[in-house]
Amino acid sequence: MSAFLLRRFGQAVLLLLIVSMIGFAILHLAPGGPMSQFAAGGEMSQEDLDRIAEQLGLNRPLPVQYAEWLWRMLSGDWGRSYRDGQPVTAIIGSHVGATLQLMATSTLLAMLIGAWIGIVGAIRRYSLFDSLATVGAMVALSIPTFWFGLVVIYVFSVWLGWLPSGNRYTIGDGSLINQIHHMIGPVMVLALVSTAVWSRYMRSSMLEVVNQDYIRTARAKGLSQRSILIRHALRNALLPMITITGLHVPTLLSGALVTETVFTWPGMGRLFLDSISYRDYPVVMGILMFSAVLVLIGSLAADLLYGAADPRIARSG
Amino acid sequence: MTDRNRDQSLGWRRRDMLALGLLAGSGTLVGRNGQSIAQTKPATAPAKPRGQVVAGISQEPTVFNPLMPGSEVDQGVWWQIFSPLWYIDPMGRFVPDLAREVPSVSNGGLSADGLTWKIRLRSDAKWHDGTPFTAEDVKYTLELINTPGFRVRNRIGHNLVRDIVIVAPDEIHWRMESAYSPYLSILALTFMVPRHVLAKAEDPNTATFNNRPIGTGPFRWGERVAGDHLLLHAIGSYHGTGPHLERVVFKYIPDLTALYTQFRTGQVDYLGIGGIPAHFAREAEGLKGRRISRSPTPFVEHIALNLEFAPFADKAVREALYLAMDKQARIDGIYYGLPVATESFLPRESWAFEPGLPVHKHDPARANALLDAAGWVRGANGIREKGGVRLSFANSTTTGNPGREQSQQLLQQDWLAIGAEMKISNMPAAVIWGDFWQKSKFESVAVGSNFMIGNDPDVTPRFSSKAIPARQGAGLNTYQYQNAEIDRLLALGASQFDQQERKATYSRIQRLIREDLILLPVYQSVMAEGLKDGLNGFAPNINCSSNCWNMRDWFWAA
């Protein structure tokens, strides 16, 4: 076990290093740069602009900039935003909560509803319910998120006036009820697509299991349908879902760019977009590394959970 | 409501809006459906601050040290937290703020030669932490601006200040290296910073103050949720009138459609600093419980030409391009008639604006004749050439600006009709406004610029031959324009203190720039700003950097 963890840790460090090098290079080689935000105002002289570039270390060779950034990162200093001078860790910290709140709620909802639809669809294969669920899932997967978000706002906010048209909460009223009220719209949008995805995964996983020999054996033993479903089929069908859940972990914290923008949700997706637009290198690199770590943790957690759930799986590979 | 009423509302001019703003306290409002509504009962400001205003903005305020480089959105926040020595009201008058009076030759604040400045300060102003504001703070502010390592927004004018002397806690004198009349305007947009806080910081560029500022303004710092909002609270001991609101919230909503929707649904009380997108403006005027202000801005949309690019060095080409441009089609078709066509780089509301400039006429036939006469002959593919140089050039602007992108397509058609080929080469803001613009690497750019310094028409950094960043490295003359007469007039205007004399000088400058057509002026931007009915005190002010300049005077009708 410890050898497995040690090997995975070594791989993770190497991967993070490669990701950081590629990310840093792409970001800095892209045209433009953070100095344009100062130049755009049209008030600063070239002399002042050169001085700021010097202070920010932007006029040094790229490998030197990377080495400096890496060294600071390893020593726990993720740098400061070029826009507001705040530490990158504080900026990420202030956005990650909003994203987690939104994504965790919508994912949980989608998993529960999606799993139920998938299970029922698999048990009653080719029934009316299954056909409707299949068509519904295809439609949900095909709808552009931004469009559905705008429709939700138009219908429930502008037309009916039932829901706020955006924001995480009303400023001056951060009560739970107020937050839930604001969450309904974006959660509805995110959960729609996720439910479709989860239902398809669950359906195919369940279908694979219900055709296995041990299910036939269980039926031959005279076990009730309920018992077969819960004790034998469902537990085995959930195994692949663990992997999918693990791989889904990073999206819980890295945000939903489109939905956050449409619903003015101050999460990680919007932060990433804003930071890219302003070429706020420290923040973009911070988010990149944060997301990369989450992907690695998610896949490791999935491996560990999979092993724990199914003792037949050896961790030799 | 009738169509006539609607049309009248669309015809609101600046002076009408100013009057409305000034009369806001007595209850005159621009009502829904474009009607002008005189409230039956005059609205009066409450005795104590009451309620909050949520100001929706599409850019996030991130710079809170008012001396550092910031956008108009940041400046909207600065007006609430900080105070200048004096400010310029909507009528263009200087009004004392932290100073007791605005220095002039007549009150002895300015010497006749404009070199000695004597400023008397209020003695009742306090910083938000209770420390009295004194001349030490003014001295510190001016010295910090001129400190070489400090990341200052602009040193123009400040770099002429010498020998600062504190005569008393409420009086400060200094000498100017040379007479520079625009400095009065520059100081109207220079917010004072607290010496007792910032002087203690190891590096003012990274001081804690920059993210939790303390000022002498009507509102104090509350909280900032990065990427979401900024909350400010009213100050009870403000030295001026107001504030009448308990809280001001700057709510960041980057998507313009989402911003407008929140204004529609009532989550946003004031939609300004960027304004309502032109295609929503007319619809917004019909919203129940909302009113729209068509507020002029100092920004002049123009086609900036790089005069070092071979075809543009020929004045006949510049004139022909201008004649072939169908301005009104852009204004009406793309911007729904919101902006106002202009010939000058100055806004109409400026005291120095020259109304008698030749008026542009869309005349492709004359444009063709001009090019023919100048020896630009059409090649095989219809594009003109002269001496081996093709009349072909790139035009760039910021990607993601649909209005400008559509304008480019119209221009492309207009100019192709006279044998000029325009290639569209747009770039993200982070690319275009860097070296590409600053070091004149462009051929032509579609851009909106505020040429004034405060409300002063001094355009030395824009048009002086000594201000070409691609040559000397300091200035904003990215057009690379060189004209000895303009240089002389610019120096003259900056040293004159009599407004009538200055007006004559800047009138001549406007005529020369119009004649040389180093930029092709299109229109002066007009912003549609939205307010909820019942919100009083709003007064658009072209002389300040933001129409939030006077939020201290805003209040909700009872």
Side-chain angles (χ1 to χ4, degrees):
Chain A
M1 177 73 169
S2 51
F4 168 77
L5 284 176
L6 205 64
R7 193 169 58 249
R8 289 297 297 264
F9 181 74
Q11 288 169 351
V13 170
L14 191 66
L15 265 171
L16 286 174
L17 199 64
I18 293 169
V19 165
S20 73
M21 283 168 84
I22 295 172
F24 198 89
I26 290 174
L27 194 60
H28 285 74
L29 293 176
M35 291 310 298
S36 58
Q37 67 175 298
F38 300 109
E43 291 181 303
M44 300 188 74
S45 68
Q46 190 58 44
E47 193 187 353
D48 289 333
L49 292 170
D50 292 343
R51 191 181 292 125
I52 293 176
E54 167 73 30
Q55 285 171 352
L56 298 178
L58 294 167
N59 51 1
R60 281 168 234 170
L62 200 56
V64 175
Q65 288 186 48
Y66 174 73
E68 284 177 355
W69 171 82
L70 186 64
W71 178 249
R72 281 203 313 269
M73 191 89 175
L74 291 174
S75 57
D77 176 9
W78 289 35
R80 283 174 179 269
S81 163
Y82 292 156
R83 294 173 66 202
D84 60 8
Q86 295 273 48
V88 171
T89 42
I91 292 173
I92 292 176
S94 68
H95 286 75
V96 83
T99 287
L100 184 63
Q101 181 186 3
L102 184 63
M103 298 302 288
T105 311
S106 58
T107 304
L108 190 68
L109 207 64
M111 280 172 80
L112 291 173
I113 301 172
W116 178 76
I117 294 172
I119 291 166
V120 176
I123 297 167
R124 297 180 189 166
R125 198 178 179 190
Y126 304 134
S127 65
L128 180 65
F129 178 88
D130 186 36
S131 302
L132 285 175
T134 302
V135 171
M138 291 305 122
V139 170
L141 286 169
S142 311
I143 290 176
T145 318
F146 78 91
W147 180 83
F148 186 54
L150 291 175
V151 168
V152 167
I153 289 174
Y154 184 75
V155 174
F156 294 100
S157 306
V158 177
W159 192 24
L160 298 171
W162 292 351
L163 299 175
S165 54
N167 306 335
R168 194 178 174 194
Y169 54 88
T170 305
I171 297 159
D173 178 9
S175 66
L176 186 63
I177 295 290
N178 187 270
Q179 291 198 35
I180 291 171
H181 193 207
H182 281 79
M183 275 171 67
I184 295 172
V187 164
M188 202 190 299
V189 171
L190 284 171
L192 179 86
V193 179
S194 299
T195 301
V197 174
W198 286 105
S199 71
R200 300 315 291 165
Y201 281 139
M202 195 66 218
R203 182 180 180 274
S204 63
S205 181
M206 197 70 181
L207 277 176
E208 205 173 303
V209 170
V210 293
N211 291 322
Q212 294 293 320
D213 289 346
Y214 60 83
I215 298 292
R216 198 166 47 239
T217 308
R219 283 207 185 97
K221 275 176 22 186
L223 288 177
S224 69
Q225 180 71 7
R226 183 186 173 85
S227 174
I228 292 169
L229 186 67
I230 294 170
R231 291 184 55 196
H232 298 277
L234 189 58
R235 288 184 68 174
N236 283 295
L238 281 174
L239 277 175
M241 304 302 278
I242 293 172
T243 311
I244 297 162
T245 309
L247 295 174
H248 196 74
V249 166
T251 60
L252 290 179
L253 297 171
S254 57
L257 173 63
V258 175
T259 311
E260 286 180 4
T261 303
V262 171
F263 285 95
T264 325
W265 197 268
M268 294 290 286
R270 244 180 56 185
L271 174 67
F272 188 65
L273 185 69
D274 281 357
S275 305
I276 288 271
S277 327
Y278 284 93
R279 299 290 196 274
D280 198 345
Y281 296 155
V283 179
V284 176
M285 284 306 294
I287 297 173
L288 184 70
M289 297 316 293
F290 180 70
S291 304
V293 168
L294 288 176
V295 170
L296 292 171
I297 290 174
S299 70
L300 178 65
D303 282 356
L304 292 173
L305 284 172
Y306 207 94
D310 188 350
R312 291 171 301 174
I313 294 165
R315 287 190 209 94
S316 57
Chain B
M1 185 203 43
T2 64
D3 285 337
R4 198 166 71 85
N5 282 334
R6 178 185 288 272
D7 290 339
Q8 280 173 342
S9 84
L10 299 178
W12 278 104
R13 288 167 300 176
R14 174 162 175 74
R15 66 165 180 268
D16 300 320
M17 292 315 302
L18 291 180
L20 285 168
L22 295 171
L23 289 169
S26 61
T28 307
L29 300 169
V30 183
R32 77 182 174 92
N33 297 334
Q35 285 179 301
S36 171
I37 297 173
Q39 286 190 321
T40 49
K41 203 167 63 173
T44 48
K48 279 174 67 181
R50 195 178 63 205
Q52 76 173 17
V53 160
V54 177
I57 46 180
S58 59
Q59 282 179 52
E60 187 181 7
T62 53
V63 179
F64 307 110
N65 182 327
L67 304 180
M68 296 178 89
S71 63
E72 292 96 58
V73 175
D74 297 314
Q75 292 176 40
V77 176
W78 300 347
W79 277 105
Q80 319 317 320
I81 298 174
F82 300 97
S83 314
L85 292 173
W86 47 83
Y87 61 90
I88 309 168
D89 74 5
M91 312 304 283
R93 296 171 301 209
F94 287 95
V95 180
D97 194 332
L98 286 173
R100 257 188 280 173
E101 58 191 7
V102 181
S104 65
V105 177
S106 60
N107 67 18
L110 276 177
S111 62
D113 59 5
L115 295 178
T116 307
W117 291 55
K118 296 177 180 176
I119 316 292
R120 293 193 300 148
L121 305 168
R122 294 180 75 115
S123 45
D124 58 345
K126 285 189 174 135
W127 296 100
H128 295 159
D129 62 2
T131 309
F133 162 80
T134 69
E136 290 283 358
D137 297 306
V138 180
K139 182 171 188 274
Y140 176 77
T141 301
L142 297 179
E143 286 175 346
L144 180 60
I145 290 170
N146 286 315
T147 303
F150 180 58
R151 214 175 291 164
V152 71
R153 185 169 84 253
N154 198 330
R155 290 198 175 87
I156 296 172
H158 301 296
N159 52 5
L160 299 173
V161 174
R162 302 281 185 279
D163 308 330
I164 304 174
V165 179
I166 295 172
V167 178
D170 62 350
E171 188 163 348
I172 186 167
H173 298 180
W174 66 75
R175 182 176 67 79
M176 298 293 281
E177 184 67 24
S178 58
Y180 186 58
S181 49
Y183 198 46
L184 212 55
S185 253
I186 291 170
L187 282 175
L189 289 175
T190 302
F191 296 95
M192 297 297 120
V193 295
R195 177 181 177 274
H196 70 283
V197 176
L198 261 176
K200 287 181 195 157
E202 200 175 311
D203 178 3
N205 290 313
T206 55
T208 314
F209 167 87
N210 298 348
N211 280 301
R212 205 173 171 78
I214 290 172
T216 52
F219 295 92
R220 68 176 166 79
W221 186 264
E223 65 162 6
R224 175 178 177 236
V225 177
D228 191 59
H229 71 268
L230 176 67
L231 173 66
L232 306 176
H233 296 283
I235 280 288
S237 57
Y238 177 56
H239 59 267
T241 55
H244 306 304
L245 296 167
E246 237 177 316
R247 291 176 302 277
V248 166
V249 177
F250 287 93
K251 173 74 189 155
Y252 170 50
I253 304 170
D255 184 78
L256 289 175
T257 305
L259 177 56
Y260 174 64
T261 306
Q262 292 208 17
F263 174 65
R264 270 188 74 164
T265 55
Q267 287 166 277
V268 162
D269 303 313
Y270 162 69
L271 196 170
I273 322 181
I276 298 170
H279 57 284
F280 286 134
R282 201 169 280 267
E283 180 201 91
E285 278 164 337
L287 292 177
K288 190 179 173 187
R290 309 285 185 275
R291 66 191 201 276
I292 305 302
S293 161
R294 294 194 162 208
S295 315
T297 79
F299 286 87
V300 172
E301 184 77 14
H302 63 280
I303 304 294
L305 303 174
N306 184 347
L307 302 181
E308 290 296 310
F309 177 65
F312 297 147
D314 187 342
K315 192 178 162 189
V317 169
R318 305 198 297 268
E319 276 186 59
L321 292 177
Y322 195 46
L323 283 166
M325 177 196 289
D326 191 349
K327 271 191 195 187
Q328 207 54 44
R330 292 171 70 184
I331 292 171
D332 295 338
I334 299 171
Y335 295 102
Y336 300 85
L338 205 58
V340 183
T342 190
E343 302 296 337
S344 173
F345 53 83
L346 289 178
R348 284 163 188 273
E349 295 71 24
S350 165
W351 56 263
F353 176 74
E354 170 52 65
L357 298 177
V359 177
H360 166 268
K361 194 180 161 206
H362 178 220
D363 191 348
R366 208 174 133 221
N368 270 315
L370 261 176
L371 290 173
D372 289 341
W376 289 90
V377 292
R378 285 186 189 260
N381 55 1
I383 305 303
R384 292 176 185 270
E385 288 178 16
K386 182 182 175 182
V389 177
R390 287 183 85 231
L391 188 43
S392 171
F393 54 90
N395 184 266
S396 309
T397 196
T398 320
T399 44
N401 184 325
R404 285 220 187 103
E405 285 170 351
Q406 289 168 41
S407 289
Q408 283 177 314
Q409 287 166 20
L410 288 185
L411 275 179
Q412 212 170 27
Q413 290 172 28
D414 289 346
W415 288 343
L416 193 61
I418 60 162
E421 181 185 49
M422 181 187 119
K423 289 171 282 189
I424 296 172
S425 171
N426 294 342
M427 310 168 186
V431 180
I432 195 169
W433 306 122
D435 280 0
F436 183 75
W437 169 252
Q438 196 67 17
K439 300 241 172 103
S440 302
K441 292 178 180 171
F442 63 91
E443 291 171 5
S444 70
V445 166
V447 59
S449 301
N450 177 4
F451 290 85
M452 298 195 299
I453 301 175
N455 81 332
D456 197 276
D458 180 33
V459 279
T460 306
R462 297 277 181 177
F463 301 133
S464 165
S465 61
K466 292 174 190 152
I468 303 173
R471 290 165 188 262
Q472 286 91 357
L476 300 166
N477 185 355
T478 50
Y479 315 95
Q480 308 205 61
Y481 178 52
Q482 297 184 73
N483 182 326
E485 176 62 2
I486 285 281
D487 286 348
R488 188 189 71 76
L489 289 167
L490 288 171
L492 178 68
S495 62
Q496 290 171 315
F497 281 83
D498 180 88
Q499 199 177 79
Q500 284 311 308
E501 286 175 11
R502 295 192 76 205
K503 187 172 166 59
T505 305
Y506 289 104
S507 172
R508 178 83 186 118
I509 290 172
Q510 286 168 82
R511 285 185 180 280
L512 281 174
I513 298 290
R514 170 64 180 82
E515 195 182 314
D516 281 351
L517 280 174
I518 60 162
L519 53 92
L520 310 181
V522 187
Y523 58 76
Q524 180 189 341
S525 296
V526 174
M527 185 167 55
E529 296 181 282
L531 295 107
K532 263 189 195 165
D533 277 346
L535 182 57
N536 295 268
F538 172 75
N541 188 348
I542 203 162
N543 303 304
C544 292
S545 41
S546 163
N547 282 342
C548 292
W549 69 284
N550 72 332
M551 277 180 132
R552 59 181 176 255
D553 295 330
W554 293 17
F555 64 92
W556 290 105

